[in-house]
Amino acid sequence: MAERDAKRLKTQKDGSPRIFKTFKRDCVKSTDLLLSAVSALERGLEGLSFAMLKVDTSNAQKQHSFVDVSIEYSPWNMFGDEEPHSGCNIGALFSDGLEVLKSYADMDSPKVPKLNLVQRTALQNLLEFLSKKIGLENGWHGNTDIIFEGADVQVACMRDEEDQDDLSVSSMEMEASDFNFKDFKQIVAQTIVFSFLQKKTCGNKLKNSLIPGIGMSKKKLIVVFYDAENDILLSTKPILLFGDKEIVYSALVFLWLTLNYKEFCTGIPDALKEFKASFLPDPVLHQMYIERVERPLHIDHTKEEKAFPWSDKNVRTVVGKKPEVVLSDLSEDES
């Protein structure tokens, strides 16, 4: 079936898959920026790193709404006492996605996904998005529907620091809506619960059990991951989406990978599976989340160090799992 879908995509008459060739021809600079973004993800540059978190205490064992979440966490000291709280590269989670981008951007022999229509369409959507003229802060949210289409990800809106000066908002409302420490805890809680939900509803349909949750504004992005099967919790710091009113390619590519996690995420590398979150170590309570979960986020810059007490200076590059994507030469594409 997948092979027939791929062949049908090649023979479409609307011309949309031609973006694979026209983007490389007309957007040389953007192709270079794509490669730079891949490198940043692989090496943990530009803030594209995460910390492995362990849950110290929480009120998850009793009935509470997300707005009343109480959770205390601390980052694992992954690399010894000399450099505590260091992070790992985000690219270690997305070997398949990075392989798709690197293969397409190859100057000598560009390739695109051959049999997987979803991966192929995701790449097409990204290229179409990048080929448009963008860069205004207020235009960001109007264009992301290209990437969000069909994504099954928890996404929470967050306010930027300057939005706190809005005098029409009461101090109580401001405290609840600003991207602060409390809001981040809500993102963590929602991501954990959604991970259990995905495990329950999707089961073996997922390539792995690592599930993301996203908090974003018109300027920043933050992503939390939780693996309900392996009890792994990790988080980025706030990542800038815009620099001088231009989209930061590395952040955009990371967002694209996250929203398409079902296809591009290769799960937790074996080297990181020992850093357990210890969320609800009581087996009875843990089983409650597995069986009873049902389907039914934001940061103050001045409080960032308290909310994210880990350093991203000495990021260790972790090699992700071997990519499993099947590619074909772009020159063979008949569209």
Side-chain angles (χ1 to χ4, degrees):
M1 177 64 71
E3 190 169 0
R4 290 201 300 271
D5 288 342
K7 185 176 294 185
R8 184 161 56 249
L9 182 62
K10 285 187 176 183
T11 57
Q12 282 182 349
K13 301 301 182 182
D14 62 3
S16 56
R18 296 183 185 275
I19 188 66
F20 295 138
K21 291 185 177 180
T22 59
F23 185 87
K24 289 186 70 68
R25 181 191 67 202
D26 302 333
C27 305
V28 177
K29 180 180 178 181
S30 294
T31 302
D32 292 339
L33 290 172
L34 272 181
L35 283 174
S36 297
V38 169
S39 178
L41 282 158
E42 288 182 325
R43 299 168 61 189
L45 305 177
E46 301 176 14
L48 296 173
S49 62
F50 60 79
M52 310 286 292
L53 304 181
K54 50 186 174 181
V55 178
D56 299 320
T57 61
S58 78
N59 61 355
Q61 70 276 15
K62 295 184 179 179
Q63 185 178 27
H64 293 282
S65 68
F66 283 122
V67 295
D68 295 322
V69 160
S70 173
I71 181 172
E72 300 298 330
Y73 59 87
S74 55
W76 274 97
N77 182 356
M78 301 170 63
F79 312 128
D81 295 333
E82 185 176 348
E83 292 292 344
H85 306 159
S86 295
C88 292
N89 52 309
I90 288 173
L93 308 181
F94 292 99
S95 299
D96 283 358
L98 296 184
E99 181 67 15
V100 167
L101 292 177
K102 287 191 291 186
S103 298
Y104 172 75
D106 186 282
M107 298 302 296
D108 298 323
S109 180
K111 295 179 175 64
V112 293
K114 184 177 183 179
L115 302 180
N116 192 314
L117 181 60
V118 178
Q119 290 182 351
R120 191 176 171 96
T121 302
L123 176 60
Q124 175 185 332
N125 288 341
L126 175 65
L127 300 179
E128 288 177 346
F129 181 88
L130 294 176
S131 65
K132 294 185 177 182
K133 295 185 181 297
I134 50 181
L136 295 177
E137 292 180 13
N138 292 333
W140 168 249
H141 289 293
N143 289 329
T144 52
D145 59 329
I146 297 175
I147 304 175
F148 273 72
E149 183 179 358
D152 191 5
V153 182
Q154 291 275 19
V155 181
C157 295
M158 62 186 188
R159 293 164 58 92
D160 286 314
E161 185 177 4
E162 62 270 23
D163 294 335
Q164 300 176 25
D165 296 330
D166 186 353
L167 297 179
S168 64
V169 181
S170 69
S171 59
M172 184 176 296
E173 292 171 331
M174 205 176 285
E175 181 180 353
S177 61
D178 291 341
F179 185 53
N180 55 27
F181 194 23
K182 179 179 179 180
D183 294 324
F184 175 70
K185 291 181 178 181
Q186 291 184 40
I187 297 176
V188 172
Q190 288 175 274
T191 302
I192 290 175
V193 172
F194 189 61
S195 182
F196 279 102
L197 179 64
Q198 287 289 75
K199 179 176 173 60
K200 177 181 178 180
T201 58
C202 297
N204 295 330
K205 295 180 182 179
L206 295 173
K207 293 168 62 176
N208 57 78
S209 53
L210 187 63
I211 306 299
I214 301 174
M216 64 184 303
S217 71
K218 60 185 179 183
K219 285 191 174 183
K220 292 183 179 181
L221 164 75
I222 189 169
V223 180
V224 176
F225 301 85
Y226 184 67
D227 185 326
E229 180 176 332
N230 295 295
D231 187 30
I232 301 293
L233 176 63
L234 45 97
S235 174
T236 68
K237 286 186 175 182
I239 298 171
L240 195 64
L241 285 169
F242 287 92
D244 296 328
K245 296 189 177 181
E246 292 183 355
I247 286 180
V248 178
Y249 262 59
S250 57
L252 179 63
V253 170
F254 175 38
L255 177 60
W256 175 75
L257 290 169
T258 302
L259 291 169
N260 292 284
Y261 74 97
K262 290 184 179 180
E263 290 298 322
F264 294 141
C265 181
T266 40
I268 294 292
D270 292 339
L272 303 180
K273 288 185 177 179
E274 64 178 288
F275 302 105
K276 303 293 185 181
S278 297
F279 176 70
L280 292 181
D282 185 313
V284 175
L285 294 175
H286 192 267
Q287 194 65 24
M288 176 184 70
Y289 270 76
I290 294 176
E291 296 177 352
R292 300 184 185 180
V293 64
E294 296 180 359
R295 185 179 296 273
L297 309 179
H298 319 282
I299 244 185
D300 183 346
H301 180 71
T302 61
K303 301 178 182 178
E304 200 166 286
E305 289 301 318
K306 178 181 178 182
F308 308 100
W310 60 86
S311 170
D312 56 3
K313 292 182 179 180
N314 295 305
V315 173
R316 172 171 291 184
T317 300
V318 176
V319 178
K321 297 180 179 179
K322 184 178 180 180
E324 300 178 353
V325 297
V326 179
L327 304 166
S328 63
D329 290 336
L330 186 56
S331 59
E332 298 176 1
D333 195 283
E334 299 172 3
S335 58

